[in-house]
Amino acid sequence: MNAHEGKNIVWHHSAISKLDRQRSHGHNSLMVWFTGLSGSGKSTIANALQYQLHQRGISVYLLDGDNLRHGINKNLAFSETDRKENIRRTAEIGKLFVEAGIVVLAALISPFEEDREMAKAIVGAAEFIEVYVKCPIHECESRDPKGLYKRARNGEIKQFTGIDQPYEEPQNPDITLDTSILDVDKAVANLLSFLEKKLLFNGSEK
Ligand code: ADP
């Protein structure tokens, strides 16, 4: 039972629909969810994709997991329960962006299949694209852009994905980018061609 069930809270319908908003933006809206190990390249690729979409006149916004943890998610840590809540909030925010006609990118480790499925269910499968940023852990660890693997190996960080918490590989991602093979430009080019058709506004409800 959710906290508001039985209380007098009724959904208020907007006079402006999602389709109206997509029409104003001139493209469809959807959520692109990047999952992968720390250091796999999620933020780097999502930022570069954001730039390229913006250059093409697409209204786009990046929700970076680390940045969200400075604000709306600052009361959450890295237990399985907190990770789930982190993902739930991010997906709910993403849903609002999609409703507003904006392409929203999210870069979060999101290590558990069940939580990613929840995110997809919140946003709606037709407007949710799962991108698996794949990279072997030894490569992520040698990149270690934030020095986190070193600290996790020293025992300074607990519940670190790939070290003392598992990463469940996506079973059915919409697209996989292996960053041990693809450079950033090629990964972004693959994403742009994947997204091109999906963003064409045709005025139909998903
Ligand atoms: P994440 O957001 O997944 O934790 P980051 O994007 O913060 O990862 O860090 C990835 C690091 O790996 C960056 O320092 C980036 O420059 C580097 N890197 C090397 N090769 C690639 C690649 N092919 N794709 C993405 N990042 C790469």
Side-chain angles (χ1 to χ4, degrees), residues 19-194:
L19 276 182
D20 294 331
R21 296 179 201 274
Q22 291 178 337
R23 189 174 294 109
S24 311
H25 287 282
H27 53 77
N28 288 339
S29 52
L30 39 84
M31 181 163 212
V32 184
W33 189 280
F34 294 81
T35 172
L37 291 169
S38 177
S40 58
K42 301 178 296 300
S43 297
T44 304
I45 292 170
N47 263 295
L49 176 68
Q50 174 174 238
Y51 179 80
Q52 290 299 331
L53 289 174
H54 178 74
Q55 291 296 97
R56 287 163 173 72
I58 307 281
S59 304
V60 57
Y61 193 81
L62 168 61
L63 300 171
D64 189 280
D66 287 343
N67 297 352
L68 295 181
R69 282 181 179 276
H70 282 95
I72 188 153
N73 291 336
K74 69 174 163 193
N75 62 328
L76 301 175
F78 295 89
S79 65
E80 292 191 16
T81 314
D82 279 6
R83 284 185 191 270
K84 186 182 280 298
E85 177 60 8
N86 185 38
I87 285 164
R88 190 192 68 78
R89 288 184 199 171
T90 309
E92 289 286 358
I93 295 167
K95 185 182 175 179
L96 297 177
F97 273 87
V98 172
E99 201 61 44
I102 294 168
V103 175
V104 57
L105 317 179
L108 285 88
I109 298 173
S110 41
F112 302 115
E113 182 78 13
E114 183 185 300
D115 297 349
R116 295 189 299 261
E117 284 300 317
M118 171 184 68
K120 188 194 271 193
I122 288 171
V123 176
E127 288 168 326
F128 186 90
I129 292 168
E130 186 179 53
V131 180
Y132 176 26
V133 183
K134 185 174 178 169
C135 186
I137 187 145
H138 62 83
E139 168 80 20
C140 296
E141 197 163 352
S142 72
R143 292 178 185 169
D144 207 5
K146 296 162 218 151
L148 298 176
Y149 282 94
K150 190 155 178 262
R151 293 180 55 209
R153 291 284 184 203
N154 288 339
E156 292 166 44
I157 307 176
K158 300 283 178 220
Q159 300 176 313
F160 196 80
T161 304
I163 308 280
D164 57 354
Q165 220 182 50
Y167 177 78
E168 296 172 0
E169 288 207 305
Q171 294 308 302
N172 233 333
D174 295 289
I175 179 163
T176 299
L177 303 170
D178 186 336
T179 64
S180 65
I181 299 170
L182 298 173
D183 65 17
V184 177
D185 288 349
K186 187 76 178 70
V188 171
N190 285 3
L191 276 171
L192 283 170
S193 62
F194 181 82

